[in-house]
């Protein structure tokens, strides 16, 4: 299940862009929609935050508050909990 999050998040993001939303509106909507996913487990939180962070790297600009929120979420990841959840392969965990 973890492995398909990227497909879902990117698919939803591209769908929103196709609906004529700006990149900023689309990423805000994605963050809102996947926020509940990020609360399910530490692995889910990591996957959602990383994918959303990667999307924002394609933006020319992002709001300061959004950047701070994502940065704080990434800093708060508990890698011991992620390892204990055993949802990622050794290779994925070390990347």
């Amino acid at each position: 299940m973890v492995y398909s999050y990227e497909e879902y998040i990117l698919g939803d993001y591209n769908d929103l862009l196709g609906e004529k939303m700006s990149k900023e509106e689309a990423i805000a909507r994605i963050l809102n929609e996947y926020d509940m996913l990020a609360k399910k487990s530490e692995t889910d939180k990591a996957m959602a935050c990383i994918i959303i962070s990667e999307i924002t790297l394609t933006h020319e600009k992002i709001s300061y508050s959004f950047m701070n929120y994502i940065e704080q979420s990434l800093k708060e990841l508990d890698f011991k909990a992620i390892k204990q959840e055993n949802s990622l392969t050794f290779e994925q965990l070390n990347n």
Side-chain angles (χ1 to χ4, degrees):
M1 187 164 93
V2 168
Y3 316 110
S4 61
Y5 287 159
E6 185 170 16
E7 291 176 30
Y8 288 126
I9 293 173
L10 288 175
D12 288 348
Y13 176 74
N14 288 323
D15 288 347
L16 293 171
L17 292 177
E19 294 174 10
K20 305 295 185 209
M21 275 193 184
S22 70
K23 286 182 174 184
E24 293 79 16
E25 292 171 322
I27 198 67
R29 173 79 71 80
I30 291 298
L31 181 63
N32 187 47
E33 288 180 12
Y34 285 92
D35 187 53
M36 291 305 292
L37 168 72
K39 291 181 170 99
K40 286 176 59 179
S41 74
E42 200 66 16
T43 303
D44 294 330
K45 177 181 177 181
M47 295 298 292
C49 287
I50 290 168
I51 294 164
I52 291 169
S53 296
E54 289 175 344
I55 292 170
T56 60
L57 290 173
T58 67
H59 293 197
E60 292 177 19
K61 60 183 179 178
I62 59 171
S63 74
Y64 184 75
S65 60
F66 186 85
M67 180 184 67
N68 281 340
Y69 178 80
I70 291 294
E71 184 178 353
Q72 191 63 33
S73 296
L74 291 168
K75 284 180 181 178
E76 292 173 356
L77 290 176
D78 183 353
F79 289 98
K80 287 182 182 179
I82 292 169
K83 193 171 187 177
Q84 289 174 346
E85 289 171 6
N86 207 23
S87 297
L88 300 175
T89 65
F90 180 77
E91 199 173 279
Q92 289 171 316
L93 191 57
N94 288 320
N95 284 333

